[in-house]
């Protein structure tokens, strides 16, 4: 039986994720997921691709906001309150999209700049901001957060297990930053799931997820390696891209939790 085995949110884009037992589904993904982001002095988004030290910043969810902790020294942390924002907007760039974003505290920006050895600012996406998904894959004018392009990512545990049987070193799930992990599937069964239901919420898979160098960054040390892309390239490569996981869209709001069953309503032709 297909069921939800793990859930993750990533409040600050490209910083550490938070494993949760349940998640609220909003119009742009899970609540709090990638609503904050680091940008450079020109407003362009920053990620571990260029700044692997971002991997060393873990995030925890508090009743009143977020706490960011520097993993090499857990006593070194800073809190970001949900209502903590400077009354100033900038234009923030995520790939080809430019969206309005609100600056958070200068104190947080200074602390983060020091930790990643790069001048940066922490920004927040307000509720009124409407960032549309790529129109080629959009379904009913759906919106997303500061995520790379789509509200959520789904991966089966069996797919990771299959990879690790082939890989020269064990790769943890956190390298792939999924929102939903499912159990009870065959390896890469998610490739063929087009429409499915979790806790009475309908979901659509919009496209396979092309993977980048970020998957090669150890989330405990910030060191870059060659895996898992080296192994995935031998059997998950097409048109010069390497695929692992499915980008998905929720067609309604609600909530889901670990243990929820998954009912597949419609299948599609898998990429591989």
């Amino acid at each position: 039986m297909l069921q939800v085995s793990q859930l993750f949110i990533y409040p600050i884009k490209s910083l550490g994720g938070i494993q949760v037992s349940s998640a609220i589904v909003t119009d742009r993904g899970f609540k709090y997921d990638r609503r904050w982001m680091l940008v450079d002095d020109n407003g362009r988004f920053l990620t571990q691709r260029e700044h692997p030290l971002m991997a060393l910043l873990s995030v925890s969810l508090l009743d009143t906001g977020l706490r960011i902790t520097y993993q090499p020294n857990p006593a070194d942390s800073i809190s970001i309150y949900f209502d903590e924002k400077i009354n100033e907007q900038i234009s923030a760039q995520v790939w080809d999209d430019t969206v309005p974003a609100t600056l958070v505290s200068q104190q947080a920006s200074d602390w983060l700049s020091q930790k990643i050895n790069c001048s940066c600012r922490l920004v927040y996406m307000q509720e009124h901001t409407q960032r549309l998904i790529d129109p080629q894959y959009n379904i009913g004018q759906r919106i997303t957060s500061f995520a790379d392009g789509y509200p959520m990512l789904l991966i089966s545990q069996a797919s990771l297990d299959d990879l690790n049987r082939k890989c020269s070193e064990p790769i943890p799930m956190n390298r792939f930053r999924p929102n939903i992990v499912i159990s009870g599937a065959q390896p890469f069964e998610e490739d063929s799931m087009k429409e499915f239901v979790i806790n009475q919420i309908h979901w659509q898979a919009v496209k396979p997820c092309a993977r980048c160098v970020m998957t090669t960054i150890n989330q405990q040390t910030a060191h870059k390696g060659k895996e898992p892309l080296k192994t995935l390239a031998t059997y998950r490569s097409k048109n010069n891209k390497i695929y692992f996981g499915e980008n998905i869209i929720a067609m309604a709001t609600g909530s889901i939790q670990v243990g929820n069953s998954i009912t597949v309503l419609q299948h599609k032709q898998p990429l591989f």
Side-chain angles (χ1 to χ4, degrees), residues 95-113:
W95 297 114
D96 294 331
D97 294 337
T98 300
V99 294
T102 302
L103 290 172
V104 186
S105 77
Q106 186 62 48
Q107 180 187 10
S109 295
D110 291 343
W111 187 89
L112 289 160
S113 297

Side-chain angles (χ1 to χ4, degrees), residues 37-63:
M37 178 173 70
L38 302 188
V39 299
D40 65 15
D41 293 335
N42 297 314
R44 186 182 182 277
F45 74 118
L46 302 180
T47 74
Q48 291 181 34
R49 298 173 182 92
E50 303 88 9
H51 303 280
L53 289 177
M54 292 173 73
L56 300 181
L57 298 172
S58 63
V59 182
S60 54
L61 191 61
L62 310 175
D63 290 340

Side-chain angles (χ1 to χ4, degrees), residues 12-13 35-39 45 92 94 121-123 146:
I12 304 177
K13 182 178 178 69
R35 295 295 294 273
W36 290 262
M37 178 173 70
L38 302 188
V39 299
F45 74 118
V94 186
R121 291 179 289 178
L122 180 65
V123 298
F146 287 134

Side-chain angles (χ1 to χ4, degrees), residues 34-264:
R34 285 163 286 205
R35 295 295 294 273
W36 290 262
M37 178 173 70
L38 302 188
V39 299
D40 65 15
D41 293 335
N42 297 314
R44 186 182 182 277
F45 74 118
L46 302 180
T47 74
Q48 291 181 34
R49 298 173 182 92
E50 303 88 9
H51 303 280
L53 289 177
M54 292 173 73
L56 300 181
L57 298 172
S58 63
V59 182
S60 54
L61 191 61
L62 310 175
D63 290 340
T64 55
L66 308 174
R67 176 169 292 142
I68 312 171
T69 302
Y70 183 55
Q71 290 190 69
N73 178 15
D76 191 357
S77 66
I78 190 169
S79 294
I80 308 297
Y81 299 101
F82 291 138
D83 59 357
E84 185 175 5
K85 301 174 188 70
I86 298 172
N87 189 24
E88 182 182 345
Q89 281 202 338
I90 66 167
S91 292
Q93 184 180 354
V94 186
W95 297 114
D96 294 331
D97 294 337
T98 300
V99 294
T102 302
L103 290 172
V104 186
S105 77
Q106 186 62 48
Q107 180 187 10
S109 295
D110 291 343
W111 187 89
L112 289 160
S113 297
Q114 182 186 45
K115 293 297 180 287
I116 69 170
N117 293 331
C118 173
S119 177
C120 69
R121 291 179 289 178
L122 180 65
V123 298
Y124 175 76
M125 177 181 281
Q126 299 277 14
E127 283 296 325
H128 56 73
T129 299
Q130 302 282 297
R131 180 185 172 219
L132 291 173
I133 295 167
D134 183 341
Q136 183 178 354
Y137 300 100
N138 209 338
I139 304 169
Q141 296 296 293
R142 300 287 164 175
I143 62 174
T144 188
S145 61
F146 287 134
D148 273 356
Y150 302 93
M152 278 170 277
L153 178 69
L154 179 144
I155 296 175
S156 75
Q157 182 63 48
S159 299
L160 180 64
D161 295 343
D162 181 81
L163 167 63
N164 281 330
R165 283 191 288 270
K166 299 174 171 68
C167 203
S168 60
E169 61 184 79
I171 302 298
M173 188 64 84
N174 65 9
R175 296 282 191 96
F176 299 101
R177 301 176 73 83
N179 294 106
I180 302 174
V181 180
I182 64 173
S183 62
Q186 295 298 311
F188 302 104
E189 187 174 340
E190 63 269 32
D191 289 359
S192 63
M193 292 167 54
K194 181 177 181 180
E195 184 179 347
F196 53 96
V197 176
I198 306 175
N199 198 28
Q200 301 182 11
I201 300 174
H202 279 66
W203 308 72
Q204 293 259 6
V206 288
K207 70 182 291 291
C209 184
R211 310 313 307 226
C212 69
V213 69
M214 192 165 157
T215 60
T216 67
I217 300 170
N218 185 306
Q219 297 297 292
Q220 278 67 53
T221 66
H223 293 156
K224 277 186 180 181
K226 295 183 178 179
E227 296 292 4
L229 294 183
K230 180 181 177 181
T231 297
L232 284 172
T234 65
Y235 73 120
R236 295 287 298 179
S237 179
K238 202 162 197 172
N239 300 323
N240 296 317
K241 292 184 178 180
I242 296 169
Y243 294 92
F244 193 87
E246 282 284 327
N247 292 300
I248 62 173
I249 296 173
M251 306 306 291
T253 57
S255 65
I256 65 173
Q257 61 185 26
V258 170
N260 281 156
S261 61
I262 302 167
T263 302
V264 180

